[in-house]
PDB file of all heavy atoms in Angstrom:
ATOM      1  N   ALA A   8     -23.398  10.608  -8.728  1.00  0.00           N
ATOM      2  CA  ALA A   8     -23.009  10.569  -7.304  1.00  0.00           C
ATOM      3  C   ALA A   8     -22.238   9.309  -7.003  1.00  0.00           C
ATOM      4  O   ALA A   8     -21.225   9.314  -6.282  1.00  0.00           O
ATOM      5  CB  ALA A   8     -24.169  10.751  -6.400  1.00  0.00           C
ATOM      6  N   GLN A   9     -22.702   8.216  -7.531  1.00  0.00           N
ATOM      7  CA  GLN A   9     -22.038   6.926  -7.273  1.00  0.00           C
ATOM      8  C   GLN A   9     -20.695   6.896  -7.951  1.00  0.00           C
ATOM      9  O   GLN A   9     -19.722   6.329  -7.373  1.00  0.00           O
ATOM     10  CB  GLN A   9     -22.862   5.771  -7.807  1.00  0.00           C
ATOM     11  CG  GLN A   9     -24.117   5.541  -6.985  1.00  0.00           C
ATOM     12  CD  GLN A   9     -24.987   4.440  -7.628  1.00  0.00           C
ATOM     13  OE1 GLN A   9     -24.706   3.934  -8.700  1.00  0.00           O
ATOM     14  NE2 GLN A   9     -26.037   4.022  -6.908  1.00  0.00           N
ATOM     15  N   ALA A  10     -20.545   7.464  -9.097  1.00  0.00           N
ATOM     16  CA  ALA A  10     -19.271   7.430  -9.844  1.00  0.00           C
ATOM     17  C   ALA A  10     -18.174   8.178  -9.058  1.00  0.00           C
ATOM     18  O   ALA A  10     -17.013   7.824  -9.112  1.00  0.00           O
ATOM     19  CB  ALA A  10     -19.393   8.011 -11.247  1.00  0.00           C
ATOM     20  N   GLY A  11     -18.536   9.214  -8.332  1.00  0.00           N
ATOM     21  CA  GLY A  11     -17.550  10.013  -7.636  1.00  0.00           C
ATOM     22  C   GLY A  11     -17.366   9.593  -6.190  1.00  0.00           C
ATOM     23  O   GLY A  11     -16.596  10.179  -5.472  1.00  0.00           O
ATOM     24  N   SER A  12     -18.070   8.566  -5.740  1.00  0.00           N
ATOM     25  CA  SER A  12     -17.986   8.198  -4.345  1.00  0.00           C
ATOM     26  C   SER A  12     -16.751   7.340  -4.075  1.00  0.00           C
ATOM     27  O   SER A  12     -16.227   6.692  -4.979  1.00  0.00           O
ATOM     28  CB  SER A  12     -19.260   7.422  -3.909  1.00  0.00           C
ATOM     29  OG  SER A  12     -19.338   6.191  -4.599  1.00  0.00           O
ATOM     30  N   THR A  13     -16.326   7.334  -2.827  1.00  0.00           N
ATOM     31  CA  THR A  13     -15.194   6.568  -2.389  1.00  0.00           C
ATOM     32  C   THR A  13     -15.585   5.103  -2.284  1.00  0.00           C
ATOM     33  O   THR A  13     -16.631   4.791  -1.697  1.00  0.00           O
ATOM     34  CB  THR A  13     -14.689   7.089  -1.039  1.00  0.00           C
ATOM     35  OG1 THR A  13     -14.384   8.474  -1.188  1.00  0.00           O
ATOM     36  CG2 THR A  13     -13.461   6.316  -0.578  1.00  0.00           C
ATOM     37  N   PRO A  14     -14.792   4.157  -2.771  1.00  0.00           N
ATOM     38  CA  PRO A  14     -15.111   2.738  -2.640  1.00  0.00           C
ATOM     39  C   PRO A  14     -15.129   2.341  -1.177  1.00  0.00           C
ATOM     40  O   PRO A  14     -14.414   2.905  -0.338  1.00  0.00           O
ATOM     41  CB  PRO A  14     -13.957   2.032  -3.382  1.00  0.00           C
ATOM     42  CG  PRO A  14     -13.198   3.101  -4.086  1.00  0.00           C
ATOM     43  CD  PRO A  14     -13.529   4.394  -3.512  1.00  0.00           C
ATOM     44  N   GLY A  15     -15.917   1.348  -0.859  1.00  0.00           N
ATOM     45  CA  GLY A  15     -15.990   0.813   0.512  1.00  0.00           C
ATOM     46  C   GLY A  15     -14.686   0.138   0.909  1.00  0.00           C
ATOM     47  O   GLY A  15     -13.820  -0.084   0.062  1.00  0.00           O
ATOM     48  N   PRO A  16     -14.558  -0.188   2.197  1.00  0.00           N
ATOM     49  CA  PRO A  16     -13.284  -0.728   2.666  1.00  0.00           C
ATOM     50  C   PRO A  16     -12.940  -2.091   2.033  1.00  0.00           C
ATOM     51  O   PRO A  16     -11.746  -2.301   1.745  1.00  0.00           O
ATOM     52  CB  PRO A  16     -13.513  -0.884   4.178  1.00  0.00           C
ATOM     53  CG  PRO A  16     -14.936  -0.713   4.399  1.00  0.00           C
ATOM     54  CD  PRO A  16     -15.488   0.018   3.256  1.00  0.00           C
ATOM     55  N   LEU A  17     -13.870  -2.928   1.795  1.00  0.00           N
ATOM     56  CA  LEU A  17     -13.554  -4.238   1.232  1.00  0.00           C
ATOM     57  C   LEU A  17     -13.183  -4.114  -0.230  1.00  0.00           C
ATOM     58  O   LEU A  17     -12.250  -4.754  -0.720  1.00  0.00           O
ATOM     59  CB  LEU A  17     -14.724  -5.238   1.414  1.00  0.00           C
ATOM     60  CG  LEU A  17     -15.047  -5.621   2.858  1.00  0.00           C
ATOM     61  CD1 LEU A  17     -16.265  -6.516   2.915  1.00  0.00           C
ATOM     62  CD2 LEU A  17     -13.846  -6.261   3.523  1.00  0.00           C
ATOM     63  N   SER A  18     -13.906  -3.276  -0.943  1.00  0.00           N
ATOM     64  CA  SER A  18     -13.583  -2.999  -2.372  1.00  0.00           C
ATOM     65  C   SER A  18     -12.204  -2.366  -2.481  1.00  0.00           C
ATOM     66  O   SER A  18     -11.366  -2.753  -3.327  1.00  0.00           O
ATOM     67  CB  SER A  18     -14.652  -2.091  -2.974  1.00  0.00           C
ATOM     68  OG  SER A  18     -14.288  -1.747  -4.277  1.00  0.00           O
ATOM     69  N   SER A  19     -11.924  -1.385  -1.601  1.00  0.00           N
ATOM     70  CA  SER A  19     -10.588  -0.738  -1.614  1.00  0.00           C
ATOM     71  C   SER A  19      -9.512  -1.708  -1.329  1.00  0.00           C
ATOM     72  O   SER A  19      -8.424  -1.672  -1.914  1.00  0.00           O
ATOM     73  CB  SER A  19     -10.585   0.406  -0.546  1.00  0.00           C
ATOM     74  OG  SER A  19     -11.395   1.484  -0.930  1.00  0.00           O
ATOM     75  N   PHE A  20      -9.756  -2.579  -0.323  1.00  0.00           N
ATOM     76  CA  PHE A  20      -8.714  -3.579   0.044  1.00  0.00           C
ATOM     77  C   PHE A  20      -8.463  -4.528  -1.133  1.00  0.00           C
ATOM     78  O   PHE A  20      -7.289  -4.844  -1.410  1.00  0.00           O
ATOM     79  CB  PHE A  20      -9.088  -4.337   1.305  1.00  0.00           C
ATOM     80  CG  PHE A  20      -7.972  -5.187   1.792  1.00  0.00           C
ATOM     81  CD1 PHE A  20      -6.846  -4.660   2.385  1.00  0.00           C
ATOM     82  CD2 PHE A  20      -8.063  -6.583   1.674  1.00  0.00           C
ATOM     83  CE1 PHE A  20      -5.795  -5.447   2.806  1.00  0.00           C
ATOM     84  CE2 PHE A  20      -7.016  -7.371   2.119  1.00  0.00           C
ATOM     85  CZ  PHE A  20      -5.885  -6.801   2.715  1.00  0.00           C
TER      86      PHE A  20
END
Side-chain angles (χ1 to χ4, degrees):
Q9 288 176 353
S12 66
T13 302
L17 295 178
S18 175
S19 292
F20 187 71

